[in-house]
Amino acid sequence: MSRPTVYKPAVYKHFHRIAWLAVALALTVIVFGSFVRLSNAGLSCPDWPTCYGRAAWPTAANQAIDHAATAIRPVEPHKAWREQFHRMIAGLLGVLVLTLALLSARKRRYGVLQIIAAAALVALAIPLYMRGEHGIASGLAIIGEAILLFAALRWSNLDLARASALTLAVIIFQALLGMWTVTWLLKPIVVMGHLLGGLLTFSLLIWIAWRATHLPIRLADATRLRRWLIVTLVLLAVQIALGGWVSANYAALACANDFPKCVGQWWPPHDFREGFVLWRGIGVDYEGGVLDGASRIAIQLAHRMMAVVAFAALIATAVRLLRTPGLRGWGTLLALLACAQVALGIANVVLSLPLQVAVAHNAGAALLLFVLISLLARLRTIDQ
């Protein structure tokens, strides 16, 4: 009987360890980022990438009294450290992703040169942006992104070069979204995009880490199970996007503390058209939200209705995993996380959005992604 063909990525011997470290740090960045956003510290450093001109942050109001950023927002040291520390750990994550991209591209012709060139262009754009030369800075960042995307399209994934280059491109764009989150005053589409970008980075790193670790799960019906997992992942992604839109528009308590009803009604007055306008003007301070009650109710209703669909898909997938030998542990974990996520969502409403519960709700979404992406990365057919 012939043995199955083994497709094992040809990567640097410690590549998987660096990848798993990046996964852990990405989760930390996501959870701490939700803490920053939900504690209303997202604009506590009005300038970028410094904080009132400092590499760290001012520990007292009089340390930034002469800085131009004080005209935008008074110094709040108890919040400023949160925003700047979040930027620091996100920057460290960027260094790890850059390392993965360099290691995976080292055997490609001009591979390392392309990665270094893209990173150098982005690095050069930062001081230009700080000097107010926004057009040139944006142009350099776009060229850097184009180099990475072109490389990802040309390279295969035998050594995880394509996935690593794409992840670096995503995290650079994620940094731009972080900048726009501040400079565009918490514009909802940017805030939601920043959340989704962080989760996309996390998902790509999970996939890379499992592939580099090479612990396949071989099943005869792996192809059908993968299709099931992909559908569930898409539905979960839609629900996460809606959750991000709820948060970005400060609509978490649009129904007051009422559940399962909303302001005492099953179908209260709402405005879906206004609630889902994605692009609004620049220059408006969106902190606290700008939508009326009916628009926020529409956003909350959409999130609740999609939650039912996503929860049903997650439980159905968990049941399928429980019936598959070798995957019962994953099925149990998925079911427990899905139930916990629903419970946390309800608690957010009933308890008026406690910070700890809201942060845990964000972490729960990331952990659900971890389970689904892990299975997609590891599943193989018998002959693979």
Side-chain angles (χ1 to χ4, degrees), residues 326-351:
L327 296 180
R328 288 171 185 149
W330 286 103
T332 301
L333 178 60
L334 184 62
L336 289 174
L337 286 173
C339 292
Q341 187 70 346
V342 170
L344 288 168
I346 295 172
N348 273 331
V349 174
V350 175
L351 301 177

Side-chain angles (χ1 to χ4, degrees), residues 252-253 256-259 300 304 345-353:
L253 297 178
N257 302 108
D258 204 357
F259 185 88
Q300 178 65 212
R304 290 187 183 189
I346 295 172
N348 273 331
V349 174
V350 175
L351 301 177
S352 298
L353 204 65

Side-chain angles (χ1 to χ4, degrees), residues 34 98-99 115 163 201 251 263 266 268 279-280 293 303 321 326 342 352 372:
S34 68
L98 174 61
T99 302
I115 299 297
T201 303
V263 292
W266 288 109
W279 184 263
R280 299 179 187 274
H303 186 52
L321 294 173
V342 170
S352 298
L372 295 177

Side-chain angles (χ1 to χ4, degrees), residues 136-368:
I136 298 175
S138 298
L140 291 175
I142 290 170
I143 293 171
E145 286 281 77
I147 292 172
L148 291 172
L149 292 174
F150 181 70
L153 287 173
R154 286 194 308 112
W155 294 342
S156 68
N157 216 36
L158 292 176
D159 49 7
L160 298 176
R162 172 179 290 172
S164 297
L166 180 60
T167 305
L168 182 59
V170 169
I171 206 167
I172 289 172
F173 188 67
Q174 179 70 351
L176 293 173
L177 286 171
M179 175 189 70
W180 294 330
T181 296
V182 175
T183 57
W184 289 357
L185 304 175
L186 301 182
K187 189 173 181 60
I189 188 65
V190 177
V191 173
M192 184 183 72
H194 194 45
L195 169 67
L196 295 179
L199 291 170
L200 176 58
T201 303
F202 180 58
S203 299
L204 287 168
L205 287 170
I206 294 167
W207 194 90
I208 290 171
W210 277 121
R211 286 298 178 119
T213 305
H214 193 66
L215 290 173
I217 300 173
R218 291 192 171 87
L219 297 173
D221 64 341
T223 301
R224 283 188 296 175
L225 183 54
R226 283 175 64 86
R227 289 173 186 157
W228 190 287
L229 288 167
I230 289 170
V231 171
T232 305
L233 179 62
V234 170
L235 293 174
L236 176 62
V238 172
Q239 175 62 0
I240 289 173
L242 284 171
W245 195 241
V246 168
S247 179
N249 287 281
Y250 299 84
L253 297 178
C255 295
N257 302 108
D258 204 357
F259 185 88
K261 292 183 177 181
C262 180
V263 292
Q265 303 175 56
W266 288 109
W267 197 244
H270 53 271
D271 188 347
F272 282 98
R273 181 186 296 274
E274 187 65 21
F276 286 91
V277 173
L278 298 181
W279 184 263
R280 299 179 187 274
I282 297 173
V284 178
D285 189 343
Y286 290 95
E287 187 173 19
V290 298
L291 298 180
D292 60 19
S295 301
R296 298 191 204 206
I297 284 174
I299 295 171
Q300 178 65 212
L301 290 175
H303 186 52
R304 290 187 183 189
M305 289 186 291
M306 188 62 205
V308 175
V309 177
F311 180 70
L314 288 166
I315 293 300
T317 302
V319 170
R320 184 171 182 129
L321 294 173
L322 287 167
R323 292 175 177 173
T324 305
L327 296 180
R328 288 171 185 149
W330 286 103
T332 301
L333 178 60
L334 184 62
L336 289 174
L337 286 173
C339 292
Q341 187 70 346
V342 170
L344 288 168
I346 295 172
N348 273 331
V349 174
V350 175
L351 301 177
S352 298
L353 204 65
L355 181 59
Q356 299 90 334
V357 176
V359 171
H361 193 51
N362 280 262
L367 293 176
L368 285 168

